[in-house]
Amino acid sequence: YMTTQRLNVGEETGHVDVTASPLAELSDDFPLRPRLLGNLIPQQCNVWMGYSQDGSSSGLHHDYHDNLLILLRGRKRVTLFAPSDSALLYPRGTISQLHPNGRMNYREIGHTRADGVDPTSRIALFDERLRAEVELEAAERSGDAAWIERANEALEEVLDATLMVARDDFDDSCGEGDDDDDDVDEEEEEE
């Protein structure tokens, strides 16, 4: 069988690609937004192919996003369990949060929003900034001094977090925090 899951970050866009190899090489052969999906925007497109004389199985697992299963040939039996039963299914890891939409967070992996976005990512910070700006505008229209102060503080927190992410990105692009150069210098000094 063949499966693909690991997605790359696009060099030109800086966004996570929707498909990974080998599916990416076939992406010109099918629409990334089939009409069947309506206004839904795919976050990730995967391919899973299996063939065996005895049949194949993807095993008991859960996916982080909604799925559209298209079977090209053969049969597939799918058994669905309610997210509320997840603790009874012997998960690999400790479930730290179960979102209302069924999205699970594991203590060992980290926290995400219900849509799967890392709350410290640029996307989440952009969403938070928009919400904070709308909140501040509403507070200013109301004239409520206490509300304005709270909304201002919330916006400042988001802007501070955005600056921290931008600084970390800049440091990463400059190679700051990379200890490899220090190791070379130490070796040269020992000689």
Side-chain angles (χ1 to χ4, degrees):
Y1 67 88
M2 176 174 68
T3 183
T4 176
Q5 294 285 333
R6 184 84 46 204
L7 297 175
N8 298 315
V9 175
E11 290 180 22
E12 294 178 18
T13 64
H15 296 101
V16 175
D17 293 336
V18 175
T19 60
S21 186
L23 191 59
E25 285 77 20
L26 303 172
S27 62
D28 290 338
D29 297 335
F30 61 89
L32 286 177
R33 286 187 67 185
R35 286 182 292 170
L36 175 67
L37 297 180
N39 64 352
L40 297 176
I41 300 171
Q43 297 294 312
Q44 183 176 2
C45 294
N46 297 313
V47 63
W48 190 95
M49 294 185 281
Y51 176 79
S52 164
Q53 294 292 348
D54 302 323
S56 56
S57 171
S58 56
L60 180 61
H61 70 280
H62 72 85
D63 294 319
Y64 287 105
H65 294 287
D66 296 333
N67 282 264
L68 171 63
L69 173 65
I70 301 172
L71 185 64
L72 298 178
R73 191 168 76 186
R75 301 179 295 163
K76 174 92 175 152
R77 182 177 62 179
V78 177
T79 305
L80 300 175
F81 295 93
S84 58
D85 292 333
S86 58
L88 305 172
L89 299 173
Y90 304 102
R92 291 186 181 177
T94 307
I95 298 171
S96 60
Q97 183 175 12
L98 179 61
H99 292 282
N101 67 350
R103 169 81 188 200
M104 286 183 263
N105 291 143
Y106 290 92
R107 185 178 314 148
E108 297 82 1
I109 296 174
H111 180 72
T112 65
R113 299 186 323 194
D115 62 3
V117 172
D118 177 338
T120 62
S121 72
R122 287 186 190 146
I123 295 168
L125 291 171
F126 180 77
D127 291 349
E128 277 188 55
R129 191 187 89 217
L130 288 179
R131 275 194 291 276
E133 288 172 348
V134 167
E135 181 75 15
L136 180 57
E137 288 173 9
E140 288 172 341
R141 280 193 304 274
S142 77
D144 183 332
W147 185 11
I148 293 171
E149 185 176 340
R150 286 191 309 272
N152 238 333
E153 288 172 4
L155 180 57
E156 283 183 28
E157 281 182 35
V158 173
L159 292 174
D160 286 346
T162 303
L163 287 172
M164 294 294 284
V165 168
R167 188 202 70 201
D168 290 346
D169 287 348
F170 178 76
D171 288 349
D172 290 345
S173 71
C174 294
E176 294 206 11
D178 183 4
D179 294 321
D180 291 344
D181 293 338
D182 297 338
D183 295 340
V184 172
D185 292 342
E186 290 174 14
E187 289 173 12
E188 290 173 359
E189 288 176 15
E190 288 176 10
E191 292 176 4

